[in-house]
Amino acid sequence: MAITTQQLIQWKQQGRSIVALTAWDYAIAQLLDAAGVDLILVGDSMAVVLGYETTLPITLDEMIYHAKAVRRGVKRAFLLVDLPFLSYQESIQQAIHSAGRVLKETGAQGVKLEGGYPQMVETVARLVQAGIPVMGHVGLTPQSIHQLGLRQQGKTQETSEKILNEAIALEQAGAFAMLLEHIPADLAMQITQKLTIPTIGIGAGPHCDGQVLVTSDVLGLAEKNPPFAKVYTNLRQTITKAVQDYALEVRERKFP
Ligand code: KIV
């Protein structure tokens, strides 16, 4: 049976850590789902797999196209899709329209959006009222790369209080979970203790209710990785070697 928002919240209460990864196509999604990943995110970081430099250029149509392929590969995991840059910031109506398209066209169970108050808190409340589960995303928010860079956030008392208050406000607005990106571990611990909804960390230390990584980083497919990523295998090397072996055999007429 597919994992639900209630299940994820229950796992927080039970202290069971949530395993999350990103996916961008059917084959990857099927492998992650079969390996027991609890939450699969069609993240806008997929922009990098598509050859973009940042997450800004990816469109809602591209997200939907890939999310449909991912949906076909996911049976058990909770399926979440990122709302891309400028598909929800313009107005609440735009956010409802974009999130509604994601749920209707892809079969995803929820959306994630970046940022806190004041505007995003209101947006989350209205999406939730419309029946759309929303995961908040605070700390480093890559869609604001030109304002924040890709630096760790929440290092000063002022910014750490802001992030904590945003997380609380987003929970009060009805978010079912909170992604904490690239913030100090003690701040992530404080947020995790304060919230009743699960926190999913990336570069936020070990005290979150779950962890997410970008799958292309985990598999060693990315050309460069953020400092907090862990590379579990080097598929760039493996693929290069396999392709070189194949090319050699074809040229030397050893294959077929
Ligand atoms: O787009 C993405 O991959 C993300 C990560 C922070 C998990 O949001």
Side-chain angles (χ1 to χ4, degrees), residues 20-34 37 39-50 58 62-74 77-82 212-219 221:
L21 279 172
T22 66
W24 55 89
D25 69 11
Y26 169 77
I28 289 285
Q30 208 188 23
L31 289 168
L32 302 187
D33 194 59
V37 171
L39 186 150
I40 295 181
L41 168 68
V42 183
D44 60 356
S45 63
M46 171 175 67
V48 176
V49 180
L50 299 182
I58 199 161
E62 286 172 310
M63 294 299 296
I64 288 174
Y65 176 85
H66 284 267
K68 281 163 120 171
V70 170
R71 172 76 281 170
R72 293 192 281 272
V74 175
F78 186 90
L79 181 59
L80 186 72
V81 177
D82 263 345
V212 64
L213 281 176
V214 173
T215 298
S216 49
D217 295 339
V218 170
L219 299 181
L221 281 170

Side-chain angles (χ1 to χ4, degrees), residues 9-10 18 28 32 34 41 47 51-53 66 71 75 81 89 112 130 149 161 164 190-191 210-211 219:
I9 292 168
Q10 205 178 17
I18 299 163
I28 289 285
L32 302 187
L41 168 68
Y52 297 121
E53 285 278 320
H66 284 267
R71 172 76 281 170
K75 290 191 170 63
V81 177
Q89 290 95 338
K112 174 164 80 59
E161 272 170 19
L164 172 65
Q190 220 188 327
I191 297 173
Q211 297 289 332
L219 299 181

